[in-house]
Amino acid sequence: MKSQVSTREAAGDLLFVILGNGISAFAYSWVLVRLNIISGGVTATSMIAGRLTPLSVTFWTNAITLVCLGASLMFLGRRNFLNSIVSSLSYMGWFSLAQAVPVHLPLPVWVSLPLAGVCVGIGYFLCIAHHASTAGLDVFALVIHAKWDRFPVAASLRVINLLILSIGAWQFGLHSFLLGLVFIIIYTQTLSLLEKRFGVAL
């Protein structure tokens, strides 16, 4: 691994990380939030923890994000850590913008949900292909891949999210669970196809 990163490489990282988070944020905001779908990840984990403990969802979101960033620095290195901070901040910015400009997509669920899954899969890939995570649970999928490269990032991320989805099913209902299951399968499959074709950057 190179110890020095050129200005061009760093700028490319930031451009694609910001773009990837924009794609994901709008898909999450305009489709998943509107449909009240549990999609795994930090948000769903925090929602579950918030219901099971006296601590707030905001506390758990911040705590889990900090743990993920710590894991990024410890196991994936400084470049991934710094890019993941940018990733987290850009996602918050894009998501806030998407929420401020609400759009009702005149599409049935069976169209909008797969479309969101493909968009999020692409968004995630743009991050992991450019030395970043989303500062979410994909950090742990990247760590697993870094230690044991026979485990693809997409496959590990699918398992992690399905575990969270299963835990949260009894709290949020069967309908939300089933939609979340479809979404997770689609976005991780999209990520898997891109990962196999182009690889990831650790």
Side-chain angles (χ1 to χ4, degrees):
M1 181 182 295
K2 294 187 296 183
S3 59
Q4 296 295 324
V5 180
S6 70
T7 301
R8 182 176 181 178
E9 288 176 318
D13 283 350
L14 296 181
L15 175 64
F16 283 106
V17 166
I18 292 170
L19 176 62
N21 276 283
I23 295 170
S24 296
F26 278 87
Y28 274 115
S29 176
W30 287 357
V31 178
L32 275 77
V33 171
R34 182 174 64 85
L35 296 176
N36 195 32
I37 296 173
I38 308 169
S39 57
V42 171
T43 301
T45 305
S46 300
M47 290 168 67
I48 295 167
R51 291 198 178 190
L52 298 176
T53 70
L55 300 172
S56 69
V57 173
T58 301
F59 169 84
W60 282 112
T61 299
N62 293 335
I64 295 170
T65 299
L66 289 174
V67 169
C68 291
L69 286 172
S72 171
L73 179 60
M74 184 177 298
F75 297 107
L76 300 175
R78 183 173 177 271
R79 182 177 183 181
N80 187 283
F81 171 69
L82 294 175
N83 286 343
S84 294
I85 292 176
V86 172
S87 179
S88 179
L89 294 174
S90 64
Y91 179 83
M92 288 189 290
W94 284 120
F95 189 84
S96 297
L97 176 61
Q99 288 285 287
V101 187
V103 171
H104 177 71
L105 298 176
L107 298 172
V109 173
W110 61 270
V111 174
S112 61
L113 189 60
L115 180 61
V118 170
C119 288
V120 170
I122 293 171
Y124 270 52
F125 176 75
L126 290 176
C127 290
I128 69 173
H130 291 88
H131 303 275
S133 71
T134 63
L137 300 184
D138 57 315
V139 168
F140 300 107
L142 285 166
V143 171
I144 291 170
H145 181 70
K147 300 297 182 183
W148 303 282
D149 60 6
R150 65 184 180 276
F151 294 110
V153 175
S156 297
L157 191 55
R158 178 178 292 178
V159 171
I160 292 169
N161 281 322
L162 289 178
L163 285 173
I164 295 167
L165 187 66
S166 299
I167 294 170
W170 62 279
Q171 287 283 342
F172 296 94
L174 181 62
H175 181 260
S176 184
F177 169 80
L178 292 175
L179 291 178
L181 179 63
V182 171
F183 169 76
I184 288 170
I185 291 172
I186 292 173
Y187 102 74
T188 55
Q189 184 60 33
T190 301
L191 180 59
S192 177
L193 292 172
L194 293 170
E195 182 182 1
K196 289 177 181 176
R197 176 65 178 84
F198 299 104
V200 299
L202 298 173

